């Protein structure tokens, strides 16, 4: 064998081994559920720090909540907190938390909908909280889990139930991805707050922002690793593609100072759907801070949107 062939083979092997190592590292860094040093401790929807003690007291009270469970298509046991409305209601909001959050981090958002008279269901995403799972799906496998949660609400509360979906950050992407599935007519509206356009675009952005690295070749390698270990690839996990199939009215919320899920993604997801839609841009709001910046305005916008479709 000629020397240049041996050298070429050696280089290819070294590069391949390096890529496998790097892809495995990034998979563990981003996809495996574990404490993340790059997540701010005060990000709403991803921490357990309540802004109001009264809200936290209400939210934690055992008499105000019950626990629901379902089995996912791949036989994971998934958990959720259910908070019935103060007065009997046939309207339920299913709310999705952010990356490395869980149902317990959603007190302020649960209170918004509870104060408006809705039942509230707060699922733990797979790999989060009390739900089983050893990877983060970034909303893609969770979209099918949310179809099951919708069906669980209808089975438990009755076929007449009207349902809205709400999600923040990764939860926003989750409900956008859910929007492209075959949903029952009971789902009347969807609200997403600062969700990303696709997993590939969001992780590519984070790779450049945190590590100053280009997307190629690490992103394709990590996507392949994720396909092997978690069953989905970054390219297929697209909110934009799902929104093109969406027929449910949708409210899009985003802060114009968001540097974690870049503000530019708002127009991309907004333009992707032809369903009835509205846009609420919060001036000066960083990632997932739209509510905390102006709680009263946030709740009013949400209320005004929902009453159009319920």
């Amino acid at each position: 064998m000629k020397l240049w062939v041996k050298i070429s083979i050696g280089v290819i092997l070294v590069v391949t081994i390096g890529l496998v190592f790097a892809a495995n590292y990034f998979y563990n860094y981003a996809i495996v559920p574990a404490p993340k040093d790059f997540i701010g401790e005060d990000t709403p929807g991803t921490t357990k720090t309540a802004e109001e003690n009264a809200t936290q007291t209400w939210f934690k009270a055992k008499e105000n909540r019950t626990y629901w469970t379902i089995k996912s298509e791949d036989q994971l046991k998934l958990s959720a907190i259910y908070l019935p409305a103060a007065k009997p209601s046939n309207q339920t909001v299913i709310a999705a938390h952010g990356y490395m959050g869980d149902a317990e981090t959603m007190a302020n958002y649960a209170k918004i909908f509870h104060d408006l008279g809705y039942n509230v269901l707060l699922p733990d995403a797979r790999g989060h909280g009390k739900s089983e799972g050893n990877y983060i799906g970034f909303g893609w496998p969770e979209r099918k889990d949310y179809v099951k949660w919708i069906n669980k609400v209808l089975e438990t509360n009755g076929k007449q139930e009207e349902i809205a979906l709400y999600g923040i950050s990764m939860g926003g992407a989750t409900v956008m991805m859910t929007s492209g599935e075959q949903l029952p007519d009971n789902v009347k509206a969807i609200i997403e707050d600062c969700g990303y356009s696709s997993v590939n675009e969001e992780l590519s952005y984070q790779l450049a922002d945190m590590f100053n690295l280009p997307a190629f070749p690490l992103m394709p390698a990590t996507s392949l690793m994720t396909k092997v270990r978690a069953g989905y690839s970054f390219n297929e996990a697209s909110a934009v593609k799902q929104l093109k199939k969406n027929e449910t009215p949708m409210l899009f919320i985003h802060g114009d100072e968001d540097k974690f899920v870049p503000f530019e993604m708002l127009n991309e997801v907004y333009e992707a759907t032809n369903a009835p839609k509205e846009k609420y841009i919060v001036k000066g709001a960083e990632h997932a801070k739209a509510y905390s910046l102006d709680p009263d305005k946030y709740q009013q916008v949400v209320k005004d949107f929902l009453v159009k479709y319920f």
Side-chain angles (χ1 to χ4, degrees):
M1 186 180 296
K2 294 183 178 180
L3 179 60
W4 70 267
V5 175
K6 293 180 179 180
I7 293 174
S8 297
I9 293 173
V11 169
I12 292 171
L13 285 174
V14 169
V15 170
T16 301
I17 292 171
L19 268 179
V20 170
F21 177 83
N24 190 65
Y25 171 83
F26 193 53
Y27 178 91
N28 290 328
Y29 189 79
I31 312 299
V32 173
K36 309 295 182 183
D37 56 11
F38 54 86
I39 297 178
E41 293 183 355
D42 62 344
T43 301
T46 59
T47 70
K48 296 178 182 176
T49 301
E51 293 181 15
E52 300 177 11
N53 289 333
T55 296
Q56 187 73 349
T57 299
W58 161 80
F59 185 67
K60 292 289 188 181
K62 292 181 180 179
E63 64 270 19
N64 292 336
R65 57 164 65 182
T66 56
Y67 294 92
W68 290 10
T69 61
I70 59 170
K71 280 283 188 180
S72 67
E73 287 187 358
D74 49 349
Q75 298 305 300
L76 295 176
K77 183 179 179 180
L78 305 178
S79 177
I81 296 171
Y82 179 72
L83 303 157
K87 297 179 180 179
S89 172
N90 67 340
Q91 298 175 333
T92 298
V93 175
I94 306 175
H97 63 77
Y99 181 78
M100 291 313 302
D102 57 31
E104 297 288 356
T105 66
M106 295 292 284
N108 290 325
Y109 300 94
K111 193 68 163 58
I112 291 173
F113 299 111
H114 185 269
D115 286 351
L116 293 175
Y118 298 104
N119 309 307
V120 184
L121 182 67
L122 305 167
D124 285 333
R126 51 178 58 211
H128 295 72
K130 295 181 179 180
S131 288
E132 295 179 345
N134 58 7
Y135 64 84
I136 298 167
F138 285 96
W140 188 244
E142 288 86 351
R143 78 195 194 283
K144 293 186 176 180
D145 300 337
Y146 269 72
V147 172
K148 283 185 169 287
W149 283 121
I150 290 166
N151 291 333
K152 175 73 171 180
V153 170
L154 297 178
E155 291 166 6
T156 306
N157 291 358
K159 298 298 183 181
Q160 80 290 344
E161 196 79 0
E162 294 181 324
I163 297 171
L165 305 181
Y166 170 86
I168 184 164
S169 192
M170 185 182 79
T174 299
V175 297
M176 286 191 286
M177 291 176 184
T178 305
S179 76
E181 299 300 301
Q182 289 287 344
L183 302 180
D185 293 338
N186 306 72
V187 180
K188 302 298 183 182
I190 299 174
I191 302 171
E192 76 85 19
D193 185 338
C194 62
Y196 38 81
S197 54
S198 71
V199 174
N200 193 58
E201 289 187 358
E202 174 62 13
L203 294 185
S204 294
Y205 170 82
Q206 293 298 336
L207 187 64
D209 185 60
M210 291 192 290
F211 298 97
N212 198 29
L213 290 172
F216 185 85
L218 184 54
M219 286 301 296
T222 308
S223 179
L224 179 60
M225 179 73 70
T226 304
K227 185 68 173 179
V228 172
R229 295 180 62 178
Y232 73 96
S233 70
F234 297 161
N235 287 329
E236 65 185 314
S238 170
V240 169
K241 291 178 181 177
Q242 290 291 95
L243 285 166
K244 290 179 179 178
K245 299 183 287 183
N246 171 54
E247 298 179 351
T248 306
M250 186 170 292
L251 171 62
F252 298 84
I253 303 172
H254 219 113
D256 67 357
E257 292 296 325
D258 195 335
K259 301 297 191 297
F260 195 79
V261 174
F263 176 62
E264 293 74 19
M265 287 188 179
L266 172 61
N267 281 337
E268 190 174 355
V269 294
Y270 181 81
E271 295 298 334
T273 184
N274 290 322
K277 57 189 174 182
E278 297 179 27
K279 187 189 299 183
Y280 172 37
I281 298 172
V282 183
K283 300 293 184 182
E286 298 178 359
H287 184 63
K289 297 294 181 66
Y291 169 75
S292 60
L293 198 65
D294 192 345
D296 292 338
K297 176 66 177 299
Y298 192 101
Q299 181 161 334
Q300 189 63 50
V301 170
V302 167
K303 176 183 177 181
D304 291 345
F305 177 75
L306 289 178
V307 296
K308 293 178 182 178
Y309 302 104
F310 274 74

